[in-house]
Amino acid sequence: MTIAEIAKDFTELLKQGDHNGAAEKYNADDIASYEAMEGPMAVSHGKEALRQKSQWWQENHEVHGGSVEGPYVNGDQFAVRFTFDITPKATGERVTMDEVGLYTVKNGKITEERFYY
């Protein structure tokens, strides 16, 4: 598959709400993930660490709706824009989350993801 094909399929899975399926299908075993924040989940390495981060996020946020836009491909990278209407359970305050994920592909797998918000 080309990077554009991977990006399109990955993003389509996200649009269908299958975040776990997209990650399982396309994340490299040694993927690195970088969040634009401080703290224990700012940097994660490996598929299992990303599964745990995703599980924590799902358990700690109520999602009311959202959208996924893209992909926007350039070379070995593609970007996806996420907008979510969420309530963090810790605060109970409903907010709109707007972020961009930048994904790097090598050998048919996503080896790095970086989030900007």
Side-chain angles (χ1 to χ4, degrees):
M1 293 179 83
T2 67
I3 291 171
E5 291 168 333
I6 291 167
K8 183 178 179 184
D9 189 46
F10 179 82
T11 305
E12 188 56 40
L13 289 168
L14 296 178
K15 288 177 180 179
Q16 294 170 12
D18 190 6
H19 295 255
N20 292 335
E24 191 56 39
K25 185 173 183 179
Y26 289 109
N27 284 357
D29 290 339
D30 60 348
I31 187 171
S33 179
Y34 301 93
E35 295 283 346
M37 65 177 190
E38 298 293 323
M41 285 186 256
V43 179
S44 301
H45 293 282
K47 263 184 159 176
E48 182 56 31
L50 269 66
R51 276 189 211 107
Q52 291 173 11
K53 181 173 82 164
S54 176
Q55 180 179 352
W56 174 88
W57 198 90
Q58 291 172 15
E59 290 173 353
N60 287 278
H61 298 86
E62 181 181 353
V63 180
H64 309 289
S67 66
V68 178
E69 298 174 36
Y72 307 99
V73 181
N74 185 348
D76 66 349
Q77 296 181 311
F78 66 95
V80 177
R81 181 178 181 200
F82 302 93
T83 306
F84 291 111
D85 176 13
I86 63 169
T87 301
K89 293 179 181 177
T91 65
E93 183 179 327
R94 193 167 177 165
V95 296
T96 299
M97 183 184 90
D98 191 3
E99 75 177 346
V100 172
L102 179 64
Y103 301 89
T104 302
V105 179
K106 290 187 179 22
N107 299 317
K109 295 289 186 180
I110 297 171
T111 58
E112 181 181 289
E113 61 179 20
R114 289 185 181 264
F115 295 100
Y116 301 83
Y117 40 88

